[in-house]
Amino acid sequence: PTGDLTLSQGGLIVGKTYYVSVDNYYIYYANYRGSFKICASDKQDYDAYQGAVDANTFMNTCSADTAYSTVGGSPDGPKGSTWPNGPNFSQWFKFTASSTKFIKATIKTGGTAGTMNYPLIALFTDSLKEIKSETNYSAQGDVEVSYYGLTQGANYYISVDNNAGYNSGTFKFCVSDVPSYDYYEGAQDVTYIINNCSADGAFTTFNATPDKAKGSCWTNGPNYNRWFKFKATSTKYISLTLKTGGNEGTIQNAYITMW
């Protein structure tokens, strides 16, 4: 019933006068009328592409919990190709690609991280041509977009949104330019677990993207492949086991290939 409501709009004409109407909902048995405070600013914020937050300032770390929000956001920019709808309440971040030519941006929701439901994320060039987008089909949880092959020194934009409906809320935003195991170039070194195992559920194909070749015995793919690497020991032998089921993991119909 109460709380802040924000409206923003770009592309205004300098010197032209604009009008703002404020009202409240009506229902015959309730009186919602009351006082309010109004604020205005002509400094563009991250609700607009032109006011995107510079993510380079916290590269390889995360914002505070609930630091950002889609509440009161307005739709601008293109819709991510994998999104079910939108743009709805899009908020914007930007960064300059480093020498790693890689980016991973993650929206965190749920628990103390944020209240947003069904988060959406997309990566664009500075001319707003989509590179990649991702959708979260669960109400809350992490959704990430990652990409290897950026142009060093070029500017890129990230749009964060949520599914249409009453899904707006706060979120935590993380960004990294260290290649992750979603790509061959960022393969996770597992030499340290030889003659041992990782923790249960330590890795996931959720949010993963396909790259490189399909294993010769795989029915299809690559689909959501993740990458690992190791250095051979003096025994010149390796045995690799992917464990799922129970506490070990939830992946189904798994594939594994060594190169």
Side-chain angles (χ1 to χ4, degrees):
T2 60
D4 296 348
L5 183 63
T6 301
L7 178 151
S8 62
Q9 178 66 45
L12 305 182
I13 299 172
V14 176
K16 186 176 179 64
T17 299
Y18 296 86
Y19 291 82
V20 178
S21 177
V22 174
D23 202 346
N24 57 259
Y25 180 71
Y26 167 79
I27 192 168
Y28 72 93
Y29 58 79
N31 182 7
Y32 293 124
R33 290 174 293 180
S35 59
F36 60 92
K37 180 178 182 177
I38 190 166
C39 305
S41 173
D42 65 356
K43 295 179 173 60
Q44 291 180 324
D45 64 11
Y46 71 116
D47 187 32
Y49 155 80
Q50 297 85 350
V53 173
D54 187 353
N56 284 106
T57 60
F58 56 95
M59 187 65 69
N60 298 317
T61 186
C62 294
S63 71
D65 289 346
T66 72
Y68 301 104
S69 176
T70 56
V71 175
S74 53
D76 69 317
K79 166 186 172 293
S81 61
T82 65
W83 297 1
N85 48 57
N88 301 305
F89 312 96
S90 51
Q91 306 289 357
W92 289 90
F93 299 82
K94 65 181 179 181
F95 67 94
T96 302
S98 70
S99 59
T100 66
K101 303 178 182 179
F102 175 81
I103 197 68
K104 180 175 77 170
T106 307
I107 308 170
K108 291 181 174 288
T109 65
T112 61
T115 58
M116 182 204 291
N117 290 322
Y118 299 103
L120 312 171
I121 190 167
L123 173 66
F124 298 95
T125 65
D126 62 354
S127 60
L128 295 188
K129 179 180 179 182
E130 181 183 322
I131 296 174
K132 191 177 178 184
S133 64
E134 295 290 347
T135 298
N136 193 343
Y137 294 100
S138 298
Q140 292 193 323
D142 298 352
V143 62
E144 70 179 45
V145 61
S146 64
Y147 185 79
Y148 180 83
L150 303 176
T151 301
Q152 182 180 355
N155 295 319
Y156 295 89
Y157 287 80
I158 298 165
S159 177
V160 173
D161 206 340
N162 56 253
N163 206 346
Y166 299 100
N167 294 308
S168 295
T170 56
F171 62 94
K172 182 176 185 175
F173 189 75
C174 306
V175 64
S176 172
D177 65 357
V178 178
S180 71
Y181 75 125
D182 191 22
Y183 291 89
Y184 161 84
E185 292 81 2
Q188 175 75 45
D189 191 340
V190 291
T191 305
Y192 75 99
I193 64 165
I194 290 178
N195 299 319
N196 206 336
C197 294
S198 73
D200 289 346
F203 305 105
T204 181
T205 55
F206 185 72
N207 279 326
T209 51
D211 69 317
K212 299 297 183 181
K214 164 185 170 293
S216 61
C217 68
W218 296 4
T219 307
N220 51 43
N223 302 306
Y224 315 99
N225 59 325
R226 297 292 200 183
W227 287 91
F228 301 87
K229 64 182 180 182
F230 68 92
K231 290 185 178 179
T233 67
S234 59
T235 67
K236 305 179 183 179
Y237 172 82
I238 197 68
S239 173
L240 302 167
T241 306
L242 188 154
K243 291 179 172 287
T244 67
N247 293 329
E248 292 175 334
T250 57
I251 191 175
Q252 299 182 48
N253 300 310
Y255 300 144
I256 188 170
T257 297
M258 188 171 79
W259 307 88

